[in-house]
Amino acid sequence: MRVSGYVQGVFFRSETRARASSLGLAGWVCNERDGSVTAVFEGPRERVESMVAWCRRGPSGARVDDVEVSWEEPERLDGFRVR
């Protein structure tokens, strides 16, 4: 997924990692040069959907303007990382 808006410098990545880890999801999150944040989540669909819903709001201090979601086959990632 790609999250656009005021999403860098507001702990978006660290809170995403904490929430994804608490849900037992694998994947990664990273800042993009255009100011957006990209994330990949793998795990049970209802938990992934919970993360997507949270990303539509983001942490306090963030302003989410747009979220693009695409569903793909899992890559069998291990753990959740900030890139």
Side-chain angles (χ1 to χ4, degrees):
M1 68 180 305
R2 181 176 289 248
V3 183
S4 302
Y6 183 68
V7 293
Q8 291 188 11
V10 292
F11 301 100
F12 202 102
R13 292 178 302 158
S14 62
E15 288 202 31
T16 298
R17 178 184 57 208
R19 288 175 182 273
S21 295
S22 74
L23 290 171
L25 297 176
W28 52 265
V29 61
C30 71
N31 284 342
E32 299 293 344
R33 289 183 180 194
D34 66 0
S36 66
V37 171
T38 301
V40 170
F41 304 108
E42 288 188 357
R45 187 171 183 105
E46 65 277 359
R47 293 181 187 183
V48 171
E49 287 174 347
S50 175
M51 276 304 307
V52 170
W54 179 83
C55 286
R56 291 185 190 283
R57 296 182 309 276
S60 62
R63 186 194 74 244
V64 177
D65 294 335
D66 187 46
V67 175
E68 298 172 29
V69 177
S70 61
W71 296 89
E72 301 172 1
E73 289 298 314
E75 299 174 23
R76 300 192 187 274
L77 300 172
D78 183 34
F80 198 90
R81 294 175 176 72
V82 173
R83 290 186 174 175

